[in-house]
Amino acid sequence: MVSIDRVSKRFGDFQALREVSVDVAQGEVLCLIGASGSGKTTLLRCINQLVGIDSGAIWVDRQLAGYRISGHRLHRLPERDIARQRLSTGMVFQRFNLFPHMTALENVMEGPVQILRRPRAEVAAEAATLLDRVGLAAKRDAFPAQLSGGQQQRVAIARALAMQPKVMLFDEPTSALDPEMVGEVLAVMRTLARSGMTMIIVTHELAFAREVADRVLFMDAGAIVEQGPAVEVLNTPREARTRAFLAAVL
């Protein structure tokens, strides 16, 4: 579903990604772990085309993301074409970024109505179903200010799902939440994982990664240091750098 081939990205003098290559199968759950600044979020943003790459290539559902190839060179697509491709990936950020003047239901409906130009009544029914799926059917008419952080993040997940993406990207979705609210968001993500959704998750919740991930990938200094089945990487890491990181956070 996602194929990343020797992707590099630099911000000024900072090398954020160093020839990263990884494939993610349809229905696979991949968790990215590593210290702050290791390149995890940059990699997600490159997949979602919020950040352009300097070299390499990314395919999502067999479609080259953000570029066309001509004469062995990559040429950036027009923004309209990139926006159309971006619909294949749903992204949930650390911050919820809900529209404060819209209800939970209206937030979920906004993308399909305004971007996909779908009938409002049809979208409303689907949005209500999605809110029920994330456990918020009773909060459909609540505004973001009336919701807890965990509830707002669940609305954000429903909003991403409303666009019917092929891949869901999560950038530390629980990092901005109070500890007692983390569990409700992780429960929704567990359900998504069991449903067969392809998911790439940047997380510091290692117990969650051990439970739901098919594979864990550890990054350091913009490169992949180690990857493999979740239990193997988290319980018996091969690389010294992985062991040092896990010893510091567990």
Side-chain angles (χ1 to χ4, degrees):
M1 181 58 71
V2 178
S3 183
I4 300 167
D5 181 31
R6 294 171 294 175
V7 165
S8 293
K9 177 64 182 179
R10 178 183 290 275
F11 297 100
D13 294 332
F14 178 66
Q15 188 76 46
L17 296 174
R18 305 171 186 269
E19 295 205 343
V20 171
S21 295
V22 62
D23 292 331
V24 183
Q26 183 174 356
E28 184 177 12
V29 178
L30 175 68
C31 282
L32 310 182
I33 64 171
S36 177
S38 60
K40 308 181 304 296
T41 292
T42 299
L43 184 59
L44 280 194
R45 289 176 172 268
C46 289
I47 296 170
N48 202 35
Q49 303 189 58
L50 296 175
V51 170
I53 62 177
D54 295 334
S55 61
I58 298 173
W59 286 265
V60 177
D61 195 24
R62 299 182 179 84
Q63 186 172 21
L64 181 62
Y67 297 86
R68 61 180 176 83
I69 299 176
S70 177
H72 303 289
R73 293 178 61 88
L74 290 176
H75 300 272
R76 186 79 169 163
L77 292 174
E79 186 57 38
R80 175 176 290 186
D81 293 337
I82 291 174
R84 187 179 303 112
Q85 285 189 344
R86 196 178 287 133
L87 297 177
S88 295
T89 54
M91 189 154 180
V92 178
F93 300 88
Q94 296 177 27
R95 295 291 176 180
F96 329 121
N97 300 317
L98 300 180
F99 295 113
H101 62 290
M102 294 183 180
T103 65
L105 186 72
E106 290 167 341
N107 265 281
V108 177
M109 292 175 58
E110 185 69 4
V113 170
Q114 298 298 331
I115 298 174
L116 301 182
R117 304 295 183 183
R118 295 182 55 205
R120 192 171 188 84
E122 179 181 287
V123 170
E126 291 180 7
T129 299
L130 285 171
L131 287 175
D132 182 52
R133 185 176 177 184
V134 299
L136 291 174
K139 298 291 186 180
R140 56 177 288 168
D141 296 322
F143 290 92
Q146 299 170 311
L147 301 174
S148 70
Q151 289 170 336
Q152 290 186 59
Q153 190 64 296
R154 284 186 280 159
V155 173
I157 293 172
R159 180 179 60 182
L161 291 172
M163 300 299 287
Q164 300 178 350
K166 296 174 180 176
V167 182
M168 284 288 287
L169 309 174
F170 294 86
D171 184 15
E172 296 195 29
T174 61
S175 64
L177 301 178
D178 293 333
E180 64 270 20
M181 298 176 185
V182 169
E184 61 192 54
V185 174
L186 295 183
V188 170
M189 294 173 65
R190 286 188 191 95
T191 301
L192 270 182
R194 295 185 190 117
S195 74
M197 172 65 73
T198 306
M199 300 166 63
I200 304 176
I201 307 168
V202 171
T203 185
H204 59 274
E205 301 284 347
L206 299 186
F208 171 76
R210 183 181 288 107
E211 177 187 351
V212 305
D214 296 298
R215 195 159 35 116
V216 166
L217 186 154
F218 172 65
M219 295 186 68
D220 185 56
I224 297 173
V225 174
E226 183 169 352
Q227 61 176 305
V231 173
E232 290 183 13
V233 173
L234 296 175
N235 290 356
T236 56
R238 299 185 307 272
E239 302 295 330
R241 181 67 190 93
T242 314
R243 293 195 295 271
F245 170 77
L246 293 174
V249 299
L250 290 176

